[in-house]
Amino acid sequence: MAQPDSKKIFFENLSGAGKAIAVLTSGGDAQGMNAAVRAVVRMGLYVGAKVYFIHEGYQGMVDGEENIREATWESVSSMLQVGGTVIGSARCKEFRTHEGRLKAAYNLVQRGITNLCVIGGDGSLTGANLFREEWSGLLGELVDQGLIEADAVQKYSALHIVGMVGSIDNDFCGTDMTIGTDSALHRIIEVVDAIMTTAQSHQRTFVLEVMGRHCGYLALVSALACGADWVLIPEMPPEDGWEEKMCEKLSATRSRGTRLNIIIVAEGAIDRHGKSITSSLVKDLVVKCLGFDTRVTILGHVQRGGTPSAFDRILASRMGVEAVLALLETTANTPACVVSLYGNQSVRLPLMECVQMTQEVQKAMDEKRFEEAVKLRGRSFENNLKTYKLLAHRKPETELPTSNFNVAVLNVGAPAAGMNAAVRSAVRVGISEGHKMFAVSDGFEGFYKGQIKEIKWADVGGWTGQGGSLLGTKRTLPAKHVEKIAEQMRKHNINALLVIGGFEAFESLLQLFEARATYEEFCIPMCMLPATISNNVPATDLSIGADTALNAIVETCDRIKQSASGTKRRVFIIETMGGYCGYLASVGGLAAGADAAYIYEEPFDIRDLQANVEHLTEKMKTSIQRGLVLRNENSNDNYTTDFIYQLYTEEGKGVFDCRKNVLGHMQQGGAPSPFDRNFGTKISAKAMQWISKKLVETFRHDEGRVFANTEDSCCLLGMRRRALVFQPVVQLKEETDFVHRIPKEQWWLKLRPLMKILAKYKTSYDVSDSGQLEHVVCNRPRDLDASVAM
């Protein structure tokens, strides 16, 4: 809901002058913590507050002295791409005692710190809340001991706490994703993809053990992302007799010609009686029952290491800024809150409500109420589990419903990583629903040429991790070939259509909808899934493939910046893809720490270019050694990448030199990221369930055929803020700029000021979208389920 205009530009209304904010990381480290620290420091300084680092977590707060240091703008340079936490993290027994918290309070008051930003897990956040509740009493004791003046009690009367959850386990209730989870999934999937090649060579079974002592999120999502044969997690122990069922499943998979098996085990996996299920136990079981050559790989702390993913950098940056906003807006009566992600929106939730819900999950597991534990984990976790069961375990033919419907699936437009995961999901869910599935090769070009064949369950095995489009995809639109396409639909008796692609797919569905007036063959349920690296499809915040492209951009920018390490000052001009859509340049710029990003949606002229050069020159003289400027390929016809490169080169003489890089099609290639695999898998499953429902609704029993000609039978499935919505494509025309192939309104434009603030520009920041304090809801309404994102 839009906020009053008085809250539009926070820099004028929310000042941090006179305030002191301290940031600490506590508990286990997680990739992305540094991005959160950087955002807190720079946003805090931007609003005029003093910002302090507390090194070594709560231990540093208790010890004080050099562990609490004032932060500067430059002190967080070059930390965005670093894994772990550069300010250190430690578990502190002393802080659990009253005496330890008394020392910590003294150290904070000495520096005038009354605003704490804590990045950690539920234990760290619970400790922070206890500290806040005791604060006034602790100050009273310090006065009694003569350590502080009496007026300090009034001056520093309240301690304000805002938490951000940094945990690779994603075990905190109240947020769809915690900082570090996506990066940990990247590490796991990198290992699984590498293992699959050697497993295939030797026809081996691999048992992989991943972290998750009390939470099976990493195991479950990585199993979904790689198409594992079996997964074992603590929240949902297998039924008694699971050993035989697992071995039957592995044997059946091999009998269909598959050369490998993957089993993923969470380190905290248990059976129904609470007995631990270890990776070595699973290996011995497979060897004993099946005689398969089996190996165990324990990933261990590899999952915590490495550089943060693009998702984690963006998430942490958004949360860091939101945390500072929350601290500025807090009052003495505001409860300690945690900044969370719900769908694609930041929200603030009461910290202790989230902690209590998290503890309820463990209590449910201890009391063997496993179904309830899964529900308490949240809709995201529950969806992952349902989707995994749907796709991994094939029902016997005798148990499948018989719908007698034929559903065709095809890819349209440029290839995008994650398309194959979406096709696999559609095929398997369709078969589970009783449909006969048909694959169309080469988009609508293949359609009118008759390149259509039935596709079976086993045909899509191993597709999840494949990049590009295995079905083949073309940009050809159907308008010129509707007669031939209608003929092929008659020939194969196609009753529904699932189109996976970018802007061309959107245009195709519009053309097929209009063709209904002439050809009844198109009066069937039709659904489109957005899949394009450009993320330029209307009515959806995210598209399949965009996350993989962002990671490619960010990894390349990291390497490019590192290439200038130790040399003279240098600025890199990077050109990204995206057509006229500036998503990749803008969000990639935020994730890579760019100084500027030029896009079509935000017009710029020579004065803006000159101001950027001068700003960068000033920064180069005083602090940074490397600069990064991104430019969307179609941002301006005249201010080309070459022009900008030459301008920066000329104007930066004597201060920095320039290099340019055009990233090109490397943004379109590579294996899909865990996010794109899961996003594609789950929205495709949801789309197929919608198609099944529409087929039943529109089947005319008296005529023995499907007839659907309403607007709501031709839809795009998109994610909008918190909601996953099926939207009639014909109603989206008004929202679309067809000339430039972009939506007229794009949510990510609100992130651009954030990138500028973090690059030290003075700018206005619209906080009408900032998170408002809400309450934890155990199970969100199904129609607002945006948790399929991860």
Side-chain angles (χ1 to χ4, degrees), residues 64 82 88-89 179 217 252 281 367 375 385 460 463 498 537 585 689 735 760:
V82 179
S89 180
I179 296 167
Y217 185 89
L281 184 147
E367 294 173 2
K375 279 186 164 52
L385 188 58
V460 291
W463 279 34
L498 180 65
V537 176
Q689 288 165 342
E735 299 180 23
K760 214 174 184 177

Side-chain angles (χ1 to χ4, degrees), residues 98 105 308 364 367 482 510 519 551 560 584 588 609 670 694 711 731:
H98 184 78
E367 294 173 2
V482 283
L510 281 172
Y519 300 94
N551 278 287
I560 286 170
L584 291 179
L609 291 170
K694 286 291 178 187
E711 289 183 358
Q731 294 176 14

